[in-house]
Amino acid sequence: GKHDGSSQVPLHVTELVNIFETMLSSESSKAKLAVAKAVLLLARKHENAITPTLMISLTRLMHEQGSEGRMVIIQKLRKQYQATKIQLALRYACLLAFCAVDPLKSVRDLAQQVLQEVVRAFRSIAQKQAAQQARRELEASTADGTVGCGAPTLPYMPEYMMTYLISFLAHRADCPDPDEHAPLEAYLPFQRIIEFLLQALMIDSEDGGHCAAALPALRKILRMIKATQDPADPTCTPKLYVLCDVALVMVTEVSAARGWPIGNFPGHVPLPRAYFSALESRAARKNTGHIEGADEHITENLVSAGHASTPGQESAEDQ
Protein backbone atom coordinates (compact mmCIF):
# COMPACT_ATOMS: atom_id res chain seq x y z
CA GLY A 1 0.00 0.00 0.00
CA LYS A 2 0.91 3.67 -0.29
CA HIS A 3 2.47 5.33 2.71
CA ASP A 4 0.56 7.92 4.66
CA GLY A 5 3.52 10.06 5.67
CA SER A 6 6.51 11.68 4.08
CA SER A 7 9.14 10.41 6.56
CA GLN A 8 11.34 7.55 5.45
CA VAL A 9 10.02 4.19 6.64
CA PRO A 10 12.63 1.47 7.37
CA LEU A 11 12.51 -1.37 4.82
CA HIS A 12 11.86 -4.07 7.42
CA VAL A 13 8.83 -2.09 8.68
CA THR A 14 7.45 -1.76 5.13
CA GLU A 15 7.86 -5.51 4.65
CA LEU A 16 6.09 -6.14 7.96
CA VAL A 17 3.18 -3.93 6.89
CA ASN A 18 2.88 -5.89 3.63
CA ILE A 19 2.79 -9.16 5.59
CA PHE A 20 0.11 -7.75 7.91
CA GLU A 21 -1.98 -6.64 4.91
CA THR A 22 -1.83 -10.16 3.45
CA MET A 23 -2.65 -11.83 6.77
CA LEU A 24 -5.64 -9.56 7.42
CA SER A 25 -7.13 -10.59 4.09
CA SER A 26 -6.53 -14.34 4.39
CA GLU A 27 -6.08 -15.66 7.93
CA SER A 28 -8.62 -17.03 10.39
CA SER A 29 -10.61 -14.68 12.60
CA LYS A 30 -8.45 -15.45 15.65
CA ALA A 31 -5.19 -14.90 13.74
CA LYS A 32 -6.54 -11.63 12.31
CA LEU A 33 -7.21 -10.39 15.84
CA ALA A 34 -3.59 -11.07 16.80
CA VAL A 35 -2.42 -9.20 13.67
CA ALA A 36 -4.66 -6.23 14.53
CA LYS A 37 -3.08 -5.99 17.98
CA ALA A 38 0.38 -6.15 16.36
CA VAL A 39 -0.58 -3.35 13.93
CA LEU A 40 -1.63 -1.10 16.83
CA LEU A 41 1.72 -1.77 18.52
CA LEU A 42 3.60 -0.99 15.31
CA ALA A 43 1.59 2.23 14.86
CA ARG A 44 3.00 3.61 18.11
CA LYS A 45 6.52 3.83 16.67
CA HIS A 46 5.92 3.85 12.92
CA GLU A 47 2.62 5.68 12.42
CA ASN A 48 3.60 6.88 8.94
CA ALA A 49 4.18 3.26 7.82
CA ILE A 50 0.53 2.29 8.36
CA THR A 51 -1.06 2.42 4.91
CA PRO A 52 -4.68 3.21 4.03
CA THR A 53 -4.99 -0.42 2.84
CA LEU A 54 -3.98 -1.68 6.28
CA MET A 55 -6.33 0.77 8.02
CA ILE A 56 -9.23 -0.34 5.81
CA SER A 57 -8.38 -3.98 6.67
CA LEU A 58 -8.58 -3.08 10.37
CA THR A 59 -12.01 -1.52 9.92
CA ARG A 60 -13.12 -4.60 7.97
CA LEU A 61 -11.91 -6.73 10.88
CA MET A 62 -14.00 -4.66 13.32
CA HIS A 63 -16.99 -5.19 11.05
CA GLU A 64 -16.45 -8.97 10.83
CA GLN A 65 -15.52 -9.70 14.46
CA GLY A 66 -18.00 -10.84 17.05
CA SER A 67 -18.55 -9.00 20.32
CA GLU A 68 -15.64 -10.79 22.02
CA GLY A 69 -13.15 -9.80 19.31
CA ARG A 70 -14.37 -6.21 19.30
CA MET A 71 -13.96 -6.05 23.08
CA VAL A 72 -10.28 -7.09 22.71
CA ILE A 73 -9.64 -4.21 20.28
CA ILE A 74 -11.55 -1.71 22.46
CA GLN A 75 -9.40 -2.63 25.48
CA LYS A 76 -6.22 -2.39 23.40
CA LEU A 77 -7.19 1.07 22.10
CA ARG A 78 -8.18 2.27 25.56
CA LYS A 79 -4.80 1.27 26.99
CA GLN A 80 -2.88 3.16 24.30
CA TYR A 81 -5.05 6.26 24.39
CA GLN A 82 -4.97 6.38 28.20
CA ALA A 83 -1.17 6.32 28.41
CA THR A 84 0.46 9.37 30.03
CA LYS A 85 1.61 10.39 26.56
CA ILE A 86 -1.04 9.31 24.05
CA GLN A 87 0.59 6.70 21.82
CA LEU A 88 -1.82 6.49 18.90
CA ALA A 89 -2.91 8.93 16.23
CA LEU A 90 -6.54 10.01 16.03
CA ARG A 91 -7.50 7.86 13.04
CA TYR A 92 -7.31 4.59 15.03
CA ALA A 93 -10.13 5.79 17.31
CA CYS A 94 -12.45 5.45 14.27
CA LEU A 95 -12.33 1.69 14.90
CA LEU A 96 -14.44 2.32 18.01
CA ALA A 97 -17.28 3.75 15.92
CA PHE A 98 -17.64 0.40 14.14
CA CYS A 99 -18.91 -1.04 17.45
CA ALA A 100 -22.13 0.96 16.92
CA VAL A 101 -23.68 -2.10 15.28
CA ASP A 102 -22.60 -4.61 17.95
CA PRO A 103 -25.58 -6.56 19.34
CA LEU A 104 -24.31 -6.28 22.94
CA LYS A 105 -25.08 -3.05 24.78
CA SER A 106 -22.02 -3.58 27.03
CA VAL A 107 -19.73 -3.51 23.97
CA ARG A 108 -21.44 -0.44 22.49
CA ASP A 109 -21.31 1.38 25.84
CA LEU A 110 -17.62 0.68 26.42
CA ALA A 111 -16.72 1.69 22.86
CA GLN A 112 -18.67 4.95 23.30
CA GLN A 113 -16.99 5.59 26.65
CA VAL A 114 -13.48 5.11 25.21
CA LEU A 115 -14.38 7.23 22.18
CA GLN A 116 -15.52 10.03 24.49
CA GLU A 117 -12.25 9.77 26.43
CA VAL A 118 -10.37 10.16 23.12
CA VAL A 119 -12.52 13.18 22.19
CA ARG A 120 -11.74 14.88 25.52
CA ALA A 121 -8.02 14.12 25.27
CA PHE A 122 -7.66 15.40 21.71
CA ARG A 123 -9.84 18.42 22.42
CA SER A 124 -7.35 19.38 25.12
CA ILE A 125 -4.42 18.78 22.73
CA ALA A 126 -6.13 20.89 20.03
CA GLN A 127 -6.63 23.77 22.48
CA LYS A 128 -2.94 23.71 23.41
CA GLN A 129 -1.94 23.57 19.74
CA ALA A 130 -4.25 26.49 18.92
CA ALA A 131 -2.76 28.52 21.79
CA GLN A 132 0.78 27.80 20.56
CA GLN A 133 -0.20 28.73 17.01
CA ALA A 134 -1.83 31.96 18.18
CA ARG A 135 1.37 32.86 20.05
CA ARG A 136 3.50 32.15 16.96
CA GLU A 137 1.20 34.27 14.80
CA LEU A 138 1.22 37.08 17.33
CA GLU A 139 5.01 37.06 17.38
CA ALA A 140 5.07 37.03 13.57
CA SER A 141 2.57 39.90 13.36
CA THR A 142 4.63 41.93 15.81
CA ALA A 143 7.73 41.27 13.73
CA ASP A 144 6.40 42.12 10.26
CA GLY A 145 3.26 44.17 10.93
CA THR A 146 0.79 41.60 9.55
CA VAL A 147 -1.96 40.05 11.63
CA GLY A 148 -2.40 36.25 11.88
CA CYS A 149 -5.86 34.67 11.78
CA GLY A 150 -5.37 32.23 14.70
CA ALA A 151 -7.15 29.47 12.77
CA PRO A 152 -7.69 26.19 14.65
CA THR A 153 -5.30 23.30 13.96
CA LEU A 154 -7.87 20.90 12.59
CA PRO A 155 -5.81 17.66 12.42
CA TYR A 156 -5.57 17.77 16.22
CA MET A 157 -9.31 18.32 16.71
CA PRO A 158 -11.39 15.19 17.42
CA GLU A 159 -13.76 16.26 14.62
CA TYR A 160 -10.96 15.28 12.21
CA MET A 161 -11.92 11.63 12.83
CA MET A 162 -14.83 12.20 10.44
CA THR A 163 -12.30 12.64 7.61
CA TYR A 164 -11.08 9.09 8.04
CA LEU A 165 -14.40 7.52 9.01
CA ILE A 166 -16.07 8.58 5.75
CA SER A 167 -13.21 7.05 3.74
CA PHE A 168 -13.26 3.81 5.75
CA LEU A 169 -17.03 3.46 5.31
CA ALA A 170 -16.83 4.09 1.55
CA HIS A 171 -14.40 1.18 1.27
CA ARG A 172 -16.68 -1.30 3.02
CA ALA A 173 -17.80 -4.12 0.74
CA ASP A 174 -21.45 -3.58 1.72
CA CYS A 175 -21.45 0.17 1.06
CA PRO A 176 -24.23 0.69 -1.52
CA ASP A 177 -23.33 1.92 -4.99
CA PRO A 178 -25.38 5.13 -5.55
CA ASP A 179 -25.97 4.12 -9.19
CA GLU A 180 -27.77 0.98 -8.09
CA HIS A 181 -30.43 2.97 -6.17
CA ALA A 182 -30.21 0.85 -3.02
CA PRO A 183 -33.10 1.15 -0.54
CA LEU A 184 -32.57 3.61 2.31
CA GLU A 185 -32.35 0.71 4.79
CA ALA A 186 -29.03 -0.27 3.20
CA TYR A 187 -27.51 2.93 4.63
CA LEU A 188 -28.78 2.35 8.19
CA PRO A 189 -25.63 0.60 9.51
CA PHE A 190 -23.51 3.44 8.07
CA GLN A 191 -25.81 6.04 9.61
CA ARG A 192 -25.50 4.33 13.00
CA ILE A 193 -21.69 4.36 12.80
CA ILE A 194 -21.60 8.08 11.86
CA GLU A 195 -24.13 8.82 14.61
CA PHE A 196 -21.93 6.94 17.11
CA LEU A 197 -19.03 9.30 16.35
CA LEU A 198 -21.30 12.38 16.45
CA GLN A 199 -22.61 11.27 19.86
CA ALA A 200 -19.05 11.18 21.23
CA LEU A 201 -18.30 14.60 19.72
CA MET A 202 -21.33 16.09 21.48
CA ILE A 203 -20.15 15.26 25.04
CA ASP A 204 -19.80 18.01 27.64
CA SER A 205 -22.43 19.92 25.69
CA GLU A 206 -24.20 21.68 28.57
CA ASP A 207 -22.79 25.03 27.52
CA GLY A 208 -22.67 24.14 23.83
CA GLY A 209 -19.19 25.65 23.59
CA HIS A 210 -16.91 22.97 22.16
CA CYS A 211 -19.73 21.04 20.56
CA ALA A 212 -21.31 24.00 18.86
CA ALA A 213 -17.82 24.79 17.56
CA ALA A 214 -17.54 21.20 16.30
CA LEU A 215 -20.42 21.59 13.85
CA PRO A 216 -18.75 24.15 11.54
CA ALA A 217 -15.58 21.98 11.45
CA LEU A 218 -17.59 18.87 10.60
CA ARG A 219 -19.57 20.63 7.90
CA LYS A 220 -16.42 22.01 6.30
CA ILE A 221 -14.69 18.60 6.37
CA LEU A 222 -17.68 16.95 4.69
CA ARG A 223 -17.98 19.67 2.04
CA MET A 224 -14.28 19.51 1.28
CA ILE A 225 -14.39 15.72 0.83
CA LYS A 226 -17.09 16.28 -1.80
CA ALA A 227 -14.51 18.21 -3.81
CA THR A 228 -12.10 15.25 -3.90
CA GLN A 229 -11.89 11.73 -5.26
CA ASP A 230 -10.69 8.44 -3.85
CA PRO A 231 -7.05 8.00 -4.98
CA ALA A 232 -7.08 4.18 -4.75
CA ASP A 233 -10.50 3.14 -6.05
CA PRO A 234 -12.59 5.38 -8.37
CA THR A 235 -15.72 3.32 -7.59
CA CYS A 236 -15.52 4.57 -3.99
CA THR A 237 -15.72 8.25 -4.99
CA PRO A 238 -19.54 8.42 -5.46
CA LYS A 239 -19.89 6.47 -2.20
CA LEU A 240 -17.81 9.13 -0.43
CA TYR A 241 -20.21 11.81 -1.68
CA VAL A 242 -23.37 9.96 -0.56
CA LEU A 243 -21.88 9.26 2.89
CA CYS A 244 -20.96 12.95 3.16
CA ASP A 245 -24.55 13.88 2.31
CA VAL A 246 -25.85 11.49 4.98
CA ALA A 247 -23.46 12.97 7.56
CA LEU A 248 -24.30 16.56 6.53
CA VAL A 249 -28.00 15.90 7.12
CA MET A 250 -27.16 14.48 10.56
CA VAL A 251 -24.99 17.48 11.45
CA THR A 252 -27.84 19.80 10.41
CA GLU A 253 -30.27 17.80 12.57
CA VAL A 254 -27.96 18.17 15.61
CA SER A 255 -27.81 21.91 14.94
CA ALA A 256 -31.60 22.20 14.75
CA ALA A 257 -32.27 19.97 17.77
CA ARG A 258 -29.85 21.82 20.04
CA GLY A 259 -30.32 25.31 18.68
CA TRP A 260 -26.65 25.67 17.74
CA PRO A 261 -26.09 27.72 14.59
CA ILE A 262 -23.55 26.34 12.11
CA GLY A 263 -21.25 29.23 11.31
CA ASN A 264 -18.21 29.17 9.06
CA PHE A 265 -15.13 27.27 10.17
CA PRO A 266 -12.24 29.77 10.27
CA GLY A 267 -9.38 27.35 9.49
CA HIS A 268 -8.49 25.55 6.30
CA VAL A 269 -9.05 21.79 6.04
CA PRO A 270 -5.88 19.80 5.29
CA LEU A 271 -7.30 16.51 4.00
CA PRO A 272 -4.91 13.53 4.15
CA ARG A 273 -3.42 13.00 0.69
CA ALA A 274 -3.24 9.21 1.07
CA TYR A 275 -7.04 9.07 1.39
CA PHE A 276 -8.22 11.88 -0.92
CA SER A 277 -6.92 13.37 -4.15
CA ALA A 278 -7.94 16.48 -6.06
CA LEU A 279 -10.49 16.10 -8.85
CA GLU A 280 -8.72 16.02 -12.17
CA SER A 281 -10.80 18.46 -14.20
CA ARG A 282 -13.26 21.29 -13.82
CA ALA A 283 -15.81 19.19 -15.76
CA ALA A 284 -15.38 16.34 -13.28
CA ARG A 285 -15.88 18.78 -10.41
CA LYS A 286 -19.07 20.03 -12.02
CA ASN A 287 -20.43 16.48 -12.17
CA THR A 288 -19.92 15.70 -8.49
CA GLY A 289 -22.80 17.86 -7.33
CA HIS A 290 -20.77 19.19 -4.41
CA ILE A 291 -21.39 22.64 -3.01
CA GLU A 292 -20.01 25.42 -5.17
CA GLY A 293 -16.78 26.85 -3.86
CA ALA A 294 -15.84 23.80 -1.80
CA ASP A 295 -13.04 22.92 -4.21
CA GLU A 296 -11.21 26.23 -3.80
CA HIS A 297 -7.60 25.61 -2.86
CA ILE A 298 -8.35 21.86 -2.69
CA THR A 299 -4.95 20.88 -4.08
CA GLU A 300 -3.14 22.95 -1.46
CA ASN A 301 -5.35 21.45 1.24
CA LEU A 302 -4.40 17.85 0.43
CA VAL A 303 -1.54 16.99 2.75
CA SER A 304 0.25 13.95 4.06
CA ALA A 305 -1.75 14.30 7.25
CA GLY A 306 -2.12 10.68 8.28
CA HIS A 307 0.29 11.24 11.14
CA ALA A 308 -0.55 14.90 11.71
CA SER A 309 -2.96 14.08 14.48
CA THR A 310 -0.43 12.18 16.59
CA PRO A 311 0.28 14.20 19.73
CA GLY A 312 3.83 15.45 19.96
CA GLN A 313 4.22 15.79 16.18
CA GLU A 314 3.79 19.00 14.25
CA SER A 315 0.55 19.27 12.31
CA ALA A 316 0.94 18.79 8.58
CA GLU A 317 0.27 22.43 7.76
CA ASP A 318 3.12 23.53 10.04
CA GLN A 319 5.75 21.20 8.58
Side-chain angles (χ1 to χ4, degrees):
K2 190 177 164 188
H3 291 306
D4 201 50
S6 52
S7 317
Q8 199 62 38
V9 177
L11 183 60
H12 71 280
V13 175
T14 303
E15 288 169 351
L16 193 57
V17 165
N18 290 336
I19 291 166
F20 285 162
E21 285 178 0
T22 304
M23 290 179 76
L24 281 172
S25 62
S26 60
E27 294 294 328
S28 69
S29 183
K30 199 169 182 181
K32 284 180 182 178
L33 201 56
V35 172
K37 288 159 75 176
V39 171
L40 294 176
L41 279 173
L42 184 68
R44 286 163 54 176
K45 288 194 174 178
H46 298 284
E47 154 61 10
N48 59 336
I50 308 301
T51 62
T53 307
L54 193 50
M55 283 301 304
I56 288 159
S57 296
L58 285 179
T59 63
R60 193 174 295 128
L61 175 83
M62 287 300 277
H63 176 56
E64 293 167 356
Q65 283 290 321
S67 300
E68 195 179 332
R70 288 192 187 114
M71 194 63 98
V72 169
I73 299 293
I74 294 168
Q75 300 284 14
K76 192 78 180 168
L77 287 167
R78 177 176 226 172
K79 190 176 175 184
Q80 297 200 25
Y81 280 120
Q82 277 187 338
T84 312
K85 182 181 184 300
I86 291 176
Q87 298 172 332
L88 278 181
L90 194 53
R91 60 180 171 152
Y92 300 92
C94 290
L95 295 172
L96 296 162
F98 285 81
C99 298
V101 294
D102 195 277
L104 293 184
K105 185 176 183 295
S106 57
V107 173
R108 296 194 305 272
D109 287 352
L110 184 61
Q112 179 62 219
Q113 187 183 333
V114 178
L115 194 53
Q116 289 182 12
E117 288 167 6
V118 172
V119 167
R120 286 194 180 101
F122 275 87
R123 208 156 258 167
S124 171
I125 290 162
Q127 285 173 320
K128 287 172 189 166
Q129 288 292 332
Q132 287 172 12
Q133 188 171 315
R135 275 199 301 275
R136 283 198 299 267
E137 290 183 353
L138 188 61
E139 285 161 12
S141 66
T142 309
D144 64 11
T146 60
V147 179
C149 65
T153 50
L154 191 60
Y156 291 93
M157 292 170 65
E159 290 72 29
Y160 202 67
M161 275 188 277
M162 188 65 80
T163 310
Y164 295 107
L165 186 63
I166 293 292
S167 176
F168 297 153
L169 290 173
H171 279 266
R172 257 179 52 167
D174 59 340
C175 186
D177 186 329
D179 292 335
E180 291 173 7
H181 305 294
L184 286 175
E185 299 82 62
Y187 287 99
L188 275 177
F190 299 86
Q191 188 175 336
R192 283 168 68 189
I193 289 167
I194 294 168
E195 190 173 22
F196 200 81
L197 175 57
L198 282 175
Q199 183 185 338
L201 291 170
M202 295 302 120
I203 54 161
D204 306 327
S205 60
E206 292 74 26
D207 60 353
H210 290 312
C211 305
L215 298 182
L218 287 166
R219 185 172 68 173
K220 188 155 186 179
I221 285 167
L222 294 164
R223 286 178 167 183
M224 291 298 284
I225 291 172
K226 291 191 71 174
T228 67
Q229 58 191 354
D230 189 286
D233 184 357
T235 65
C236 284
T237 300
K239 297 176 184 179
L240 285 174
Y241 299 159
V242 171
L243 289 167
C244 282
D245 286 337
V246 169
L248 280 164
V249 168
M250 294 167 79
V251 167
T252 305
E253 284 175 351
V254 170
S255 167
R258 302 191 181 225
W260 298 341
I262 310 180
N264 290 323
F265 181 72
H268 71 283
V269 178
L271 296 177
R273 193 185 292 275
Y275 293 83
F276 306 98
S277 59
L279 289 169
E280 284 160 15
S281 68
R282 199 161 284 279
R285 287 193 190 100
K286 205 171 176 182
N287 291 334
T288 62
H290 69 274
I291 292 146
E292 198 59 44
D295 59 337
E296 289 169 17
H297 315 303
I298 191 69
T299 309
E300 300 93 290
N301 284 340
L302 289 164
V303 295
S304 299
H307 60 289
S309 49
T310 310
Q313 293 182 325
E314 290 298 303
S315 70
E317 68 250 58
D318 294 333
Q319 284 176 353

